[in-house]
Amino acid sequence: QNLPVRFALDRAGLVGADGATHAGAFDLAYLCCLPNMTVMAAADEAELVHMVATAHAHDSGPIALRYPRGEGVGVELPEKGEVLAIGRGRVVRRPEGARVALLSLGTRLSEALKAADALEAEGVAVTVADARFAKPLDAELVVDLANHHEVLVTVEEGSVGGFGAMVLHLLAERGVLDAGQVRVRTLTLPDVYQDHDKPEKMYAEAGLDAEGILKAVRAALPEQKKGSRTGRLRLA
């Protein structure tokens, strides 16, 4: 019916001591496959204010807004929310000569920025972008990141089949992957019900903290492949 229904998805991502089955892991996967659905994820409390205003103003179909349990990251709140352009992300930083692009959806943006700082200290320039929308994707942004970086890593607080799958589908559909010029990695929650713990420990276990992002980028950089040993396999 394409009615303007607003879905507020509380406790997106990992929720700590609420129990192994209470994590908001699957909404991206089951919502992004629905026609006419708009799906947003707030990176911080200021973005949440803007997305609430956006959901209120959106009358052309159903819209979902996901946000985590717990406290914000401490950014200054705007006096009034701005209505965001549907399906448009934002580039948070893009240094000249960036080789790696981190495309985050949701509150892992702060960890992506920490990972970018660590990589730049190692001499690897990194672009960091906030997708804002899992559906519709900012196709122009995604394709641009893939075309102008050696490595593209998506980061989300959701299961396999969500945001990263949408990005891969878009890139395959547009033929961006045909030349093999960009290495794409999708970081998601693991395919298990994680035992409850402190959220930071759970995200570290899932590989979605700064260290996990760093590990994924380092493994994907072309020089890692060039430096690996080649030749016949040795059997024990």
Side-chain angles (χ1 to χ4, degrees), residues 107-124:
T107 62
R108 294 293 91 192
L109 179 64
S110 59
E111 295 298 306
L113 288 167
K114 292 177 185 176
D117 288 339
L119 286 164
E120 289 179 4
E122 299 173 5
V124 179

Side-chain angles (χ1 to χ4, degrees), residues 92-171:
V92 179
R93 67 163 71 165
R94 188 165 189 167
E96 186 175 352
R99 300 176 56 202
V100 174
L102 302 178
L103 179 58
S104 174
L105 179 75
T107 62
R108 294 293 91 192
L109 179 64
S110 59
E111 295 298 306
L113 288 167
K114 292 177 185 176
D117 288 339
L119 286 164
E120 289 179 4
E122 299 173 5
V124 179
V126 181
T127 295
V128 179
D130 176 14
R132 280 179 166 164
F133 293 84
K135 186 176 184 179
L137 282 177
D138 189 337
E140 182 179 347
L141 173 61
V142 172
V143 171
D144 175 64
L145 293 176
N147 280 336
H148 294 95
H149 297 82
E150 298 172 46
V151 174
L152 170 60
V153 178
T154 66
V155 188
E156 65 190 290
E157 299 156 312
S159 68
V160 172
F163 173 64
M166 296 285 289
V167 170
L168 281 172
H169 180 80
L170 171 68
L171 293 176

Side-chain angles (χ1 to χ4, degrees), residues 54-65:
T54 303
H56 180 266
H58 187 72
D59 286 326
S60 58
I63 189 168
L65 163 59

